[in-house]
Every structure is written in C-alpha cells, then in structure tokens.
Amino acid sequence: DAGVTQSPTHLIKTRGQQVTLRCSPKSGHDTVSWYQQALGQGPQFIFQYYEEEERQRGNFPDRFSGHQFPNYSSELNVNALLLGDSALYLCASSAREGVPGELFFGEGSRLTVL
Amino acid sequence: GQQVMQIPQYQHVQEGEDFTTYCNSSTTLSNIQWYKQRPGGHPVFLIQLVKSGEVKKQKRLTFQFGEAKKNSSLHITATQTTDVGTYFCAGPLSSNSGYALNFGKGTSLLVTP
C-alpha cells in the first residue's frame, strides 16, 4: 500500500518563475492538504482540497493555487516566485473531510528559489 | 488568530534521561495532535487527544491534554537515540477546520549516547 507520494523531491527556481508540485494521496484517502515548512519552523497550512474543490485556505496569497483531480491527486502551483517561497512543501492526505484525524504526510518537495 | 506555542525550542539530553515538551494554545482546542519529524524527514502522526484532562501512553511516551483544553504535554521516559527529532503539537486552525491544522514551531530533541 503506497503512502503519500510527492514529486519532484528537489527543485531549484529563480525569482519570478512558476512552479508546479504534485501529490498522490494514500490509497483510500480523498482529501489532500498542502503545507509549507520553512527551515526551523512548523508546517503552515496552505489549503485543502476535497471533491476537486478548495475547501479551506490558510493565510497565503493568490500566487498559491491548487487543483485536485478526479483520482484525488493534487497539484500546488506557485506563480511569481519570491526568495521567501524557499521551503519544504508537504502534501498530507486524510480519509474524510471535516473529521479530525490523522494526517499522512509525504516526503515533501524541497523548493529553492534563487 | 489562534496561536500554538511550544517550549522549549531545543532540548539536549543524555540517553536515559527524561524529556518533556509543552504546548500552549491561545484558544480552547477541540483536539490536539502530536507529530514527530526526524531530521530530513516528514512529520509522522503520534497521537490525537480529544477529552479534557486526557492522558494517553505509548510505551515510553505519555501525552496529556489540559483540563481547560488549552495546553498539552509530551513526556518521554528514559530517552533513546531513536527519539531524536522535532516534536510538533498541532490544533485545528478553526472550530470547523477539519484537517487544517495550526502547528507549533516544535521542540527539537537531541539525545547523545
């Protein structure tokens, strides 16, 4: 049973560029959340997708957008990259939206913006 | 907005010593979760506490949820080198946020043999 998978694992971009990160949830999970983790900090909630719709959003600008596909996989897009966007981007899946429970995290995509 | 604070930020212990990390929320929480992140790894769920005053144990780990549901602690008895990592507490971002969690900054534990 595959867990949460993310790609790419590492990537380097320059300021102003755009990036797309991908996530496949754990088998049987239908809800995907994205978190940003800066070095030495806890994960910060970006947004959550369920039934192909953004259900909740954290305090992130519109440069951060996402999508969920019918197979529950998800993408995170960041436009007009800033140096401060350098971080580990974590995808987490869960079984049911709205019910508190365990989050399963992927290994993350480490983004470096130069 | 709701804030989750953790102390200490860092803790360095000798193997066999005990370790405790504390988590405090500015608001009452419906539940609190704890995660462990090994160096270079991703957060892994440890436990969820829901009831006021709840105490749960997992082998050498003891988790407590305060009576007012605004604070929590994680205590590790007789630490081992495998306990190295950062321990995060997390509460719901809002009252109806489901899986949207607000994480503390974590406590990094270093255990030397």
Side-chain angles (χ1 to χ4, degrees):
Chain A
D1 177 22
V4 179
T5 58
Q6 293 187 243
S7 64
T9 54
H10 296 83
L11 68 168
I12 300 174
K13 294 285 186 177
T14 56
R15 281 179 299 174
Q17 285 189 312
Q18 177 264 346
V19 68
T20 297
L21 308 178
R22 296 175 176 81
C23 171
S24 291
K26 181 178 169 64
S27 178
H29 286 184
D30 56 9
T31 302
V32 173
S33 302
W34 287 91
Y35 287 80
Q36 180 196 65
Q37 187 176 26
L39 203 60
Q41 303 294 315
Q44 277 198 294
F45 176 73
I46 303 175
F47 42 53
Q48 177 187 100
Y49 278 85
Y50 172 66
E51 291 186 335
E52 302 179 50
E53 289 189 15
E54 183 183 294
R55 299 292 177 168
Q56 197 154 6
R57 189 178 183 92
N59 189 25
F60 279 80
D62 292 344
R63 299 187 296 109
F64 289 76
S65 63
H67 189 79
Q68 186 179 33
F69 299 94
N71 67 352
Y72 309 123
S73 67
S74 176
E75 286 182 350
L76 164 65
N77 300 292
V78 187
N79 293 323
L81 286 167
L82 303 174
L83 296 179
D85 295 331
S86 295
L88 179 66
Y89 288 85
L90 294 162
C91 172
S93 73
S94 46
R96 182 178 168 185
E97 190 259 351
V99 176
E102 179 178 357
L103 283 179
F104 290 80
F105 283 90
E107 297 285 347
S109 294
R110 185 164 296 282
L111 171 65
T112 301
V113 182
L114 302 177
Chain B
Q2 182 222 102
Q3 292 190 12
V4 176
M5 309 291 290
Q6 279 188 258
I7 54 169
Q9 188 177 1
Y10 301 99
Q11 186 82 56
H12 182 184
V13 300
Q14 294 287 322
E15 190 172 23
E17 293 182 334
D18 291 356
F19 160 76
T20 304
T21 174
Y22 300 91
C23 178
N24 292 286
S25 169
S26 58
T27 60
T28 301
L29 301 171
S30 60
N31 68 85
I32 195 160
Q33 298 184 21
W34 286 89
Y35 289 79
K36 176 184 178 181
Q37 186 172 23
R38 294 181 187 275
H42 58 281
V44 174
F45 176 84
L46 294 176
I47 207 160
Q48 178 179 255
L49 305 171
V50 179
K51 299 177 182 177
S52 169
E54 189 170 15
V55 178
K56 286 189 176 181
K57 292 189 176 184
Q58 290 180 350
K59 297 183 181 178
R60 294 178 295 104
L61 277 60
T62 301
F63 303 84
Q64 291 188 315
F65 200 10
E67 294 290 342
K69 302 182 76 173
K70 295 180 71 174
N71 61 286
S72 181
S73 65
L74 158 59
H75 179 82
I76 303 178
T77 303
T79 54
Q80 300 175 357
T81 55
T82 53
D83 296 325
V84 166
T86 301
Y87 293 85
F88 295 99
C89 63
L93 202 60
S94 62
S95 59
N96 62 344
S97 65
Y99 291 115
L101 297 181
N102 185 23
F103 282 78
K105 290 188 175 183
T107 296
S108 293
L109 173 63
L110 178 61
V111 181
T112 51

